[in-house]
Amino acid sequence: MTAEILMIQPLPEPTEAELDATYTVHRLYAAADAQALLREVGPRIRGVVTGGVKGASRALMEALPKLEIVAVSGIGTDAVDLSYARERGIRVTTTPGVLTEDVADMAMALVLATLRQTVANDRFVRSGQWSGGVAPPMSRKVSGTRLGILGLGQIGRAVARRAEGFGMPISYNNRNPVPDVPYRFVADALTLARDCDVLVVAVSGGAATRGLVSEAVIEALGPDGVLVNVARGSVVDEDALVRALQDGRLGGAGLDVFADEPRVPEALLGMDQVVLQPHRASATVETRLEMGRIVLRNLAAQFAGEPLPSAVV
Ligand code: 8YV
């Protein structure tokens, strides 16, 4: 009998095809009545496949008494109830390493797009203003602009490597100073924001970082400052961010993540100093396929009773 799997969100087509060929797959995201599907197949489900944002709540896991593994296609576990999983002996796996470079690329894309106003300029050309004789606005210089990185983990370091190439002086805040990096350590988020022009948020989501980019931190970045977030919406006080952008107390923002995705605060939609992405940092064809392969390897190992390639629980 093949193991029964519950998918919380779609994965790339080749990954889904492989899942279908190997397991009996139920798709919660496509069910007309999710509760009815859970009642029907919940008692037989041995594996959940999910993403970093959707995760797996306690309520979901409670509906799956035979659950052995939650395989996350992503690195964030902030939406998985890890303590409940531990309590129940449910294994949790992620896809570490493979998305680092892509997320760092997106962070740099947002740094460049906000400072050089590439997206607003694109709208300017398309609207016919340039050909109509309107003078295009000026943007801001990248080299020499001070970059602050909040969280110098794998992704933070990959952002720093890129920013070095752009001639940006780099400082960072992290739980602890990172040995062997040529960047300046700053003791807390507030001081970091005071000391930089562009703040890139690259910490993990979850209780420990909720609201870390507070109203005071945003205020400290100031009217010429830019906030770039490729981590989790929960790290930033989103209401304070919107107010600061509206009042001109913050210069601009490049956002790939939001507090309540896919909802984006209405007020941001009309702001030219803001560049918005629909949580796409790891969404390249190559990386998403690699993430899918890691999900498949973890499931296969679990059901074969072998050690899991990338378990966090
Ligand atoms: C994905 C992510 O967009 O890795 C994460 O935690 O947020 C992203 O890589 C997410 O997992 C959706 O699949």
Side-chain angles (χ1 to χ4, degrees), residues 13 23 41 58 62 72 81 104 114 131 144 154 163 169-170 188-189 204 214-215 233 248 299:
E13 202 276 321
Y23 306 107
V41 304
R58 180 182 181 124
E62 277 175 350
V72 179
D81 191 328
T114 46
S131 46
Q154 277 192 41
I170 300 161
D188 58 80
S204 310
S214 61
E215 177 138 40
L299 291 174

Side-chain angles (χ1 to χ4, degrees), residues 2 48 59 68 101 116 141 201 206 262 273 280:
T2 59
V48 158
E68 298 169 32
E101 306 299 328
R116 297 308 311 269
K141 197 172 173 72
V201 184
Q273 74 276 37
R280 294 285 83 188

